[in-house]
């Protein structure tokens, strides 16, 4: 079940952000946001499903992980619950902006720059909260990969990919928070891990001898 939730989380996030982010990243996004509200709401719903799935993953994995390292299992559980909460909070800004864009279109030209400034702050907050959630995810998942590796719950090449991926994600998110966006290149190893691990869990599950 955890493998299915991992896969659902990854897929719905990729689709949801693919719908939402292009709209929010347009230079004059307020002018189009209301007309694109169906796409935006769809993206937000998928990202909400991702946040809920993240909490579900934490609850499903904790019993298995605590048998091998209770402190690290609790750290992973807490980090994913916190990540889920931050991701949910990050969705508030885009929801408010849907109504805000309607007011923007009805406003006189002289008042529109103020609307745009406020909207830019809301969008920046949305993306900053996402990066913060990725920092929390990375730190917790390094603990997770450590348990996987030491307990041999899965083949060791998987947590090694995870270590590389989450260090890259942590680096990328910290740089983004500091104002240095280097793109998504450092996300690639982590994305590979978050596809391979759930597929392995769905097909093989944890090593029964280790469990």
């Amino acid at each position: 079940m955890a493998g299915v939730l991992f896969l659902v989380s990854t897929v719905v996030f990729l689709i949801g952000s693919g719908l939402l982010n292009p709209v929010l990243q347009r230079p004059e996004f307020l002018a189009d946001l209301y007309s694109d509200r169906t796409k935006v709401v769809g993206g937000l719903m998928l990202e909400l499903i991702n946040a809920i799935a993240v909490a579900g993953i934490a609850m499903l994995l904790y019993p298995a992980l605590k048998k091998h390292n209770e402190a690290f299992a609790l750290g992973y559980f807490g980090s994913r619950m916190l990540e889920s909460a931050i991701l949910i909070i990050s969705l508030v800004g885009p929801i408010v902006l849907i109504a805000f864009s309607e007011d923007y279109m009805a406003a006189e030209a002289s008042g529109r720059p103020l609307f745009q400034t406020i909207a830019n702050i809301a969008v920046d907050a949305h993306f900053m909260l996402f990066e913060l959630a990725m920092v929390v995810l990375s730190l917790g998942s390094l603990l997770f990969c450590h348990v996987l590796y030491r307990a041999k719950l899965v083949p060791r090449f998987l947590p090694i990919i995870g270590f590389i991926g989450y260090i890259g994600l942590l680096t990328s998110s910290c740089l983004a928070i500091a104002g240095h966006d280097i793109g998504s290149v450092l996300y690639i190893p982590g994305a590979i891990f978050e596809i391979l691990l759930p597929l392995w869990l769905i097909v093989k599950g944890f090593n029964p001898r280790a469990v």
Side-chain angles (χ1 to χ4, degrees):
M1 185 62 179
V4 173
L5 276 184
F6 255 114
L7 203 56
V8 167
S9 174
T10 300
V11 171
V12 298
F13 170 73
L14 290 173
I15 297 173
S17 61
L19 291 172
L20 181 62
N21 290 356
V23 177
L24 297 181
Q25 290 170 343
R26 293 173 187 166
E28 298 293 333
F29 63 89
L30 270 181
D32 302 320
L33 189 60
Y34 190 75
S35 62
D36 282 339
R37 63 189 180 279
T38 301
K39 183 186 296 185
V40 172
V41 170
L44 289 170
M45 289 300 297
L46 290 171
E47 292 206 359
L48 177 60
I49 293 171
N50 168 57
I52 295 170
V54 163
I57 290 167
M59 289 186 283
L60 288 173
L61 288 179
Y62 177 70
L65 298 179
K66 75 174 183 178
K67 296 176 183 177
H68 303 280
N69 190 317
E70 188 168 359
F72 278 23
L74 187 59
Y76 178 69
F77 176 84
S79 70
R80 302 239 59 180
M81 297 301 286
L82 180 57
E83 176 200 351
S84 177
I86 294 172
L87 288 174
I88 291 172
I89 294 170
S90 76
L91 303 180
V92 173
I95 292 172
V96 172
L97 287 177
I98 294 173
F100 200 62
S101 69
E102 188 177 16
D103 294 334
Y104 170 83
M105 296 304 296
E108 296 181 1
S110 60
R112 288 186 175 184
L114 178 60
F115 277 89
Q116 189 67 51
T117 298
I118 296 172
N120 287 340
I121 293 172
V123 170
D124 288 344
H126 167 75
F127 286 117
M128 192 63 68
L129 284 168
F130 170 76
E131 297 296 349
L132 180 60
M134 293 303 98
V135 169
V136 174
L137 164 65
S138 300
L139 293 173
S141 294
L142 288 172
L143 302 179
F144 174 54
C145 289
H146 174 83
V147 178
L148 291 181
Y149 184 85
R150 292 295 299 272
K152 300 180 182 179
L153 289 169
V154 295
R156 282 185 159 177
F157 76 89
L158 285 172
I160 289 173
I161 295 173
F163 279 124
I164 297 170
Y166 289 119
I167 289 171
L169 178 60
L170 179 62
T171 302
S172 177
S173 295
C174 287
L175 288 172
I177 291 172
H180 306 289
D181 189 357
I182 60 172
S184 59
V185 63
L186 292 180
Y187 287 16
I188 295 173
I192 293 172
F193 174 76
E194 295 207 350
I195 292 172
L196 289 181
L197 178 66
L199 290 176
W200 182 272
L201 293 179
I202 291 168
V203 175
K204 295 285 189 177
F206 285 135
N207 181 357
R209 293 180 181 179
V211 174

